[in-house]
Amino acid sequence: MKIPALQAVTVEILVDNFFDVFEPSRPGIVERVVPGRLKKPLLAAHGLAYLITLNRGGKLSRILMDAANAPLPLFNNLEALEHDINDIDAVALSHGHPDHYGGLVEFLAKRTRGPIPVYLHKDAFLPKILITPRGRIGPWVLDLNQLVAAGVELCENQGPQLVLDQALLTGTVETTTVYEKPLPGFRRQVAGQEEQDLFPDEQALVAVVEGRGLVVIGGCSHPGIVNMVKYAQKLTGVQKVSLIIGGFHLTPGGDELIKHTIQGLKELDPELIIAGHCTGFQALTKLAIAFPDNFMVSCVGTKVMVVGG
Ligand SMILES: [Fe+2]
Ligand SMILES: [Fe+2]
């Protein structure tokens, strides 16, 4: 599937689980905020929201990928980082878990610019349940009626879909690695019947930057981050990987999953890996050791820039 090569892609981390004032910047590649210069303090929360800016021939398009776990961190951080929600051109949802859409309805209600396209997999609307050691949680449901009532331009997909004609949502991820298997505890309801959630609704947002290759942006990466990048390579025909960013959801899979994923990421040979959100502390520490030069922890307020050349 042909997608245009862009001049640059910027991913700004609006909401994520972490903030660490000591995480370094890398000039021209990764910029961290200086808290004392912000309009108000940033909030970290168990959720995810990225502001993605695509530069095609100097024309900028802005996509909100995921909408955090709740309105509070989303709007607090948009304000702290001085973004106007009416500057955002589209929304894309990584999957139908509430830590990724918790601020969506309020975001739509606060916008005054008119209908906005909202891209998501049709299965993101199915009720989701989580079985944890501390009990059963859910079901959570992303309410289709609320989105329709907000007047959005609904762009549902199952297979690959272009976003604003500039980036690609992968649709259901083709799983090819042997080690990235569905983790227990995730359930969904289909026509009233409960079943294991294999996350057909999870998709990566993929862009191609001229001379740099793929930017692959994941949410929780429940189908496996290596599977997601490999599928992005297959769909676009572009092998070179510039940036992999997202929550990788690795710690519950234990040491074996972490070890194999690190090996898989090494084979993909990306220029930079940024992981946060649901990756898990154990996995983050192992990734940091495995990739001493090209791994960074995702923190709120971080801006990651991939510039073509
Ligand atoms: Fe998540
Ligand atoms: Fe998730």
Side-chain angles (χ1 to χ4, degrees), residues 19-31:
F19 181 72
D20 183 347
V21 74
F22 300 111
E23 277 294 302
S25 292
R26 294 187 186 190
I29 302 169
V30 175
E31 264 176 25

Side-chain angles (χ1 to χ4, degrees), residues 53-165:
T53 305
L54 309 173
N55 178 338
R56 185 177 187 187
K59 183 182 179 295
L60 303 182
S61 303
R62 294 177 184 84
I63 299 169
L64 177 70
M65 177 154 167
D66 292 349
N69 57 327
L72 175 65
L74 181 63
F75 291 114
N76 180 85
N77 293 0
L78 279 164
E79 197 186 329
L81 298 166
E82 300 187 51
H83 290 300
D84 180 346
I85 59 172
N86 285 308
D87 289 341
I88 295 172
D89 303 297
V91 176
L93 271 197
S94 63
H95 65 304
H97 270 162
D99 48 329
H100 298 255
Y101 66 71
L104 179 58
V105 171
E106 286 79 359
F107 170 84
L108 297 171
K110 280 196 178 185
R111 271 178 52 95
T112 53
R113 202 180 113 189
I116 184 171
V118 174
Y119 296 85
L120 76 177
H121 193 287
K122 67 184 265 302
D123 284 7
F125 291 113
L126 294 173
K128 302 274 200 173
I129 295 153
L130 189 56
I131 315 291
T132 78
R134 284 167 286 174
R136 183 183 167 90
I137 319 170
W140 297 282
V141 188
L142 173 59
D143 190 342
L144 173 63
N145 294 328
Q146 282 187 312
L147 299 194
V148 172
V152 303
E153 187 189 315
L154 204 58
C155 306
E156 291 179 80
N157 68 317
Q158 288 179 282
Q161 155 151 288
L162 282 175
V163 176
L164 301 177
D165 292 326

Side-chain angles (χ1 to χ4, degrees), residues 181-231:
K181 299 220 168 60
L183 294 170
F186 291 112
R187 316 281 295 169
R188 66 177 198 166
Q189 289 172 347
V190 183
Q193 297 293 309
E194 193 173 311
E195 62 180 33
Q196 186 175 14
D197 194 348
L198 304 178
F199 294 103
D201 59 320
E202 175 131 20
Q203 45 189 343
L205 185 70
V206 180
V208 174
V209 177
E210 213 169 49
R212 298 290 299 278
L214 294 172
V215 172
V216 181
I217 305 162
C220 280
S221 310
H222 294 295
I225 188 63
V226 178
N227 277 327
M228 288 166 74
V229 178
K230 280 175 177 281
Y231 191 46

